[in-house]
Amino acid sequence: MLVVMQEGATEAQIQTIMDRMIEDGFDVHRSTGVVHTVLGGVGGKTDFDTEVVAVMPAVKEVHRIVAPYKLASRRFRPEGTVIKIKDVTIGAGKVVVMAGPCSVESYDQIERAADIVANAGASVMRAGAFKPRSSPYSFQGLGEEGLKLLRKAADRRGLLVISEVMDSTQIPLLCEYSDILQIGARNMQNFNLLREIGKLRKPALLKRGIAATIEEMLCSAEYILSGGNYEVILCERGIRTFETQTRNTMDISAIPVVKKLSHLPIVADPSHGTGRRDKVVPMARAAVAAGADGLLVEVHPEPDRALSDGAQSLRPEQYQEMMRQLRIIAAAVERGI
Ligand code: PEP
Ligand code: MN
């Protein structure tokens, strides 16, 4: 921790801060500059609340040096985490495409979607059976029936399954039908759910919260990792900003930032990231160019009739064209797809 004292801080004020830091187990190194005195605190508790010092008299600013997460940090596994599920590896260099409709709607819809996804070369089929909808009156998903339809459609075509778990009571069902458990943006800080997922030995995809910082996302991943479940995939899905042209603001820079801070694979979801299908393909291209380990994309056989997220779901031919373009981009950045 670094504490910068205000200009003109008195000796007594500086001493009070030093005493407070020592009390919390820090070794204090003082540097008295012409204008500011800087106190460097080494050691101490990693969960020390820097705001406690930040609001004390004569303190100008406080910087945390040690990240509040350990197991999610790149230092913990410098070579990076590779997750292997059946014959699919995530984080090993190849871009993994997870695609499918927002929700499972019917037998016919999911079968047609599975054909589109498999024929264009994705390896994981996505679709929600439990849907976190902003309005309680919107379609909430087909539940277990949806999971059964999804699993069968994926199995017939040799695809893996990813589907969302909304609360801990749904974990057994999701473990039965899905290869990867998706934790939605609204649940990124549902710490009880994260701890329960941490007890599993099952891959989880953790979406960035609607207004979460990258550090908060990594702290949430830490909850899962600290339970012993190391198979965590992060997902950038856009964040809420003041911009209204897109549903969310797709933070492409989060990809290289996470790559540097963490060993965990990161995939990009340009569908929720933009909310409009004409913006999805450009953002998918950008994400692959930026180093994403995979993509999570919504595609629907008839998006105009979709029960959820139709506006951001690609039409089959757009999806095929996206896959064609991504192969070229992946090759340009020395990755496969
Ligand atoms: C989804 O993937 O359909 C979904 C609900 O995503 P998010 O949690 O990112 O909003
Ligand atoms: Mn959706």
Side-chain angles (χ1 to χ4, degrees):
M1 172 168 75
L2 269 188
V3 182
V4 182
M5 301 299 297
Q6 281 170 6
E7 190 175 350
T10 65
E11 256 327 292
Q13 286 171 324
I14 295 169
Q15 194 55 52
T16 305
I17 302 299
M18 289 175 70
D19 290 346
R20 183 69 181 79
M21 290 167 77
I22 290 164
E23 214 178 288
D24 269 283
F26 289 97
D27 271 340
V28 182
H29 302 261
R30 175 175 174 165
S31 152
T32 311
V34 184
V35 183
H36 296 292
T37 291
V38 178
L39 306 174
V42 182
K45 297 190 201 113
T46 47
D47 64 347
F48 181 77
D49 183 2
T50 52
E51 287 304 300
V52 168
V53 173
V55 297
M56 286 174 76
V59 172
K60 182 166 182 275
E61 55 205 52
V62 180
H63 302 277
R64 179 187 284 282
I65 306 294
V66 179
Y69 49 87
K70 288 191 182 77
L71 302 173
S73 153
R74 172 65 70 173
R75 251 177 288 173
F76 181 69
R77 211 182 255 172
E79 70 284 9
T81 283
V82 174
I83 299 175
K84 196 162 164 31
I85 315 164
K86 297 177 190 161
D87 56 353
V88 176
T89 40
I90 305 169
K94 255 187 149 183
V95 178
V96 175
V97 178
M98 310 177 185
C102 179
S103 315
V104 187
E105 299 170 9
S106 66
Y107 171 82
D108 183 59
Q109 174 250 15
I110 206 71
E111 286 292 324
R112 288 168 69 196
D115 273 338
I116 298 159
V117 169
N119 293 342
S123 41
V124 186
M125 172 102 186
R126 67 142 290 150
F130 297 101
K131 296 306 301 178
R133 306 305 302 282
S134 300
S135 162
Y137 307 116
S138 302
F139 175 60
Q140 304 285 309
L142 295 184
E144 182 169 8
E145 188 48 36
L147 287 173
K148 282 186 184 159
L149 295 174
L150 173 61
R151 183 78 254 176
K152 280 196 190 127
D155 282 347
R156 283 191 197 110
R157 296 154 182 95
L159 299 167
L160 296 183
V161 166
I162 178 168
S163 198
E164 177 163 353
V165 54
M166 277 177 61
D167 71 63
S168 3
T169 62
Q170 297 165 352
I171 289 178
L173 263 188
L174 266 299
C175 283
E176 185 180 342
Y177 293 105
S178 188
D179 300 294
I180 307 171
L181 271 48
Q182 177 174 323
I183 302 161
R186 292 156 192 81
N187 265 322
M188 191 203 82
Q189 288 190 316
N190 180 341
F191 302 118
N192 290 332
L193 177 63
L194 300 178
R195 281 199 193 284
E196 290 303 316
I197 305 272
K199 292 179 190 160
L200 309 174
R201 295 297 172 265
K202 180 106 184 167
L205 179 138
L206 176 67
K207 287 190 143 196
R208 182 175 180 182
I210 287 169
T213 64
I214 293 170
E215 185 169 288
E216 283 164 343
M217 174 167 64
L218 293 173
C219 281
S220 289
E222 188 83 9
Y223 270 87
I224 304 173
L225 299 171
S226 62
N229 186 357
Y230 293 124
E231 313 228 293
V232 177
I233 304 155
L234 302 169
C235 178
E236 166 57 43
R237 49 78 75 205
I239 45 173
R240 177 78 50 96
T241 68
F242 48 77
E243 184 51 69
T244 55
Q245 295 291 324
T246 46
R247 178 179 177 183
N248 290 295
T249 296
M250 183 75 194
D251 183 7
I252 297 287
S253 63
I255 297 161
V257 170
V258 164
K259 281 271 155 221
K260 185 146 195 185
L261 294 176
S262 177
H263 55 85
L264 296 171
I266 177 160
V267 307
D269 172 351
S271 308
H272 295 84
T274 61
R276 306 275 170 100
R277 79 169 66 86
D278 62 328
K279 317 285 188 299
V280 171
V281 178
M283 286 298 100
R285 294 194 298 247
V288 171
D293 294 294
L295 288 173
L296 183 68
V297 183
E298 288 182 342
V299 54
H300 193 288
E302 279 180 274
D304 305 330
R305 297 186 194 287
L307 296 184
S308 61
D309 287 350
Q312 66 191 34
S313 298
L314 294 179
R315 299 189 189 286
E317 59 280 8
Q318 286 178 306
Y319 172 68
Q320 286 148 9
E321 176 60 10
M322 178 192 80
M323 291 298 283
R324 190 190 69 78
Q325 295 180 0
L326 292 183
R327 286 198 181 89
I328 300 168
I329 292 174
V333 290
E334 289 158 358
R335 323 265 307 272
I337 189 160

